[in-house]
Amino acid sequence: MRNIHTKLPNVSTTIFTVMSKMANDYKAINLSQGFPNFKTDKKLIDLVTIGMQKGHNQYAPMPGLLSLRKVIVEKTNALYNSDYHPETDITITSGATQAIFTIISAFIHPGDEVIIFKPAYDSYEPSIELFGGTIIPIQLSAPSFTIDWKEVASKITSKTKMIIINTPHNPSGTVLSKNDMLQLEALLKNTDIILLSDEVYEHIIFDGQEHQSIARFPGLAERAFITASFGKTFHTTGWKMGYCIAPKDLMTEFRKVHQFNVFCSNHPVQHALAAYLKTPEHYLSLPNFYQEKRDVFLSLIKDSKFSYIPAAGTYFQLLDYTAITDESDVAFAERLTKEHKIASIPVSVFNLNQQDDKVLRFCFAKTEDTLKRAAEILCNI
Ligand code: PMP
Ligand code: GLN
């Protein structure tokens, strides 16, 4: 046996891979891993082809194509009244996951403390651990998942280097309010704490609510990275394209690592995105588009034994199954996939000490036909 001194002793294969594989193996409808099952806009695909045919097939500039950076910064400044600059404050990345990993690797030294909120997207913790950071988890409670900012204040020490927030929130589907952001802003005043604000679902928010980007709050923006994902916004999770935005001094540090991590991201796709983003409708239509899917899904399962609070954002809906069984969420998710042919994500895997609130996460970024077939199964349970 080879003796491997693992850097991640507590990490196994991510739940997204486990559940998607189980869905395939058992021919179940896959509402587990978050990705759309409908087609990507042909216009965007054609733009990538044009980018390749025009010969943009070699390395892109290290921070990303300037025309793409410009259009993103213009969009961000227009939406959130911020003041970012395309030359210095944005880098195009190979998905938000790479941005998150690179931010953590650039700033976290051994012994630095990073506050995260559980349930948390599963890439944060291993990334922190790899660079010797100490994770300070704060468990949020279902079903509201609201943050108690007094509790956060009590966890801040002289070693706190970073706080990671995520709104709209995966997996809970909740969003942070303006009041949350103001409280966070007050809390971080006069500190050197860096904020990582994971906003990959910024355009997937419902019921007329406005996304509270940290870019709207100068006291937060001055210390923060925003991470974003074109996979989520343009139904292209397989392209692994995203970006991050931050003030110049933070971004300079980010690029020191980024250039040796990936150097640059996919070049023809950057040309395509730069052209596609010129039509704001392409992202401003998302709230209605996904709200309709959420509402179709929820109306179809309203007579089932599952209970729920409608998701306020993201394309995930939590369903509480306490009226059905007292099985663990992991066991129930497995049984649903194998016996009932529908795959979901057990939320406990994202919780502190695998706390089991008996809720499963279902992805509704699916065609109406898929949602109907899924709902039929759920109503029979
Ligand atoms: N953060 C959150 C909260 C996510 O749900 C995801 C998954 N899309 C990511 C980051 C990673 O995004 P990407 O696929 O662009 O790496
Ligand atoms: N963000 C997606 C989800 O939450 C999956 C990302 C991944 O598979 N790593 O389901």
Side-chain angles (χ1 to χ4, degrees), residues 63-78 81-92 215 221-222 224 226 243-252 255:
L65 197 68
L66 188 57
S67 59
L68 176 58
R69 286 187 277 145
K70 273 189 179 148
V71 68
I72 298 169
V73 162
E74 276 163 21
K75 157 187 179 291
T76 307
N77 289 346
N81 198 24
S82 52
D83 186 28
Y84 292 110
H85 301 279
E87 300 275 0
T88 50
D89 304 350
I90 172 167
T91 299
I92 308 300
E222 66 175 15
I226 300 173
Y243 60 90
C244 61
I245 299 187
K248 182 180 174 185
D249 58 338
L250 296 181
M251 192 51 75
T252 303
R255 289 181 186 168

Side-chain angles (χ1 to χ4, degrees), residues 14-17 20 32-35 97 121-123 170-171 200-201 232 237 240 315-316 345 350 361 363:
T14 160
I15 189 72
F16 304 119
T17 300
S20 273
S32 65
Q33 193 178 21
F35 62 87
T97 308
Y121 181 57
D122 69 350
S123 88
N170 179 10
V200 297
Y201 301 100
K232 298 293 164 184
T237 61
K240 294 303 301 185
Y315 45 49
F316 303 117
I345 296 285
F350 307 121
R361 191 198 79 174
C363 173

Side-chain angles (χ1 to χ4, degrees), residues 3 5 7 49 77 110 115 124 147 151 168 178 197-198 203 225 240 336 340 358:
N3 184 15
H5 186 188
K7 296 186 92 174
T49 309
N77 289 346
I115 295 176
Y124 305 155
I147 295 178
E151 185 183 358
K178 181 175 179 189
S197 183
D198 185 352
H203 296 299
F225 278 93
K240 294 303 301 185
L336 281 185
H340 296 275
K358 314 274 182 220

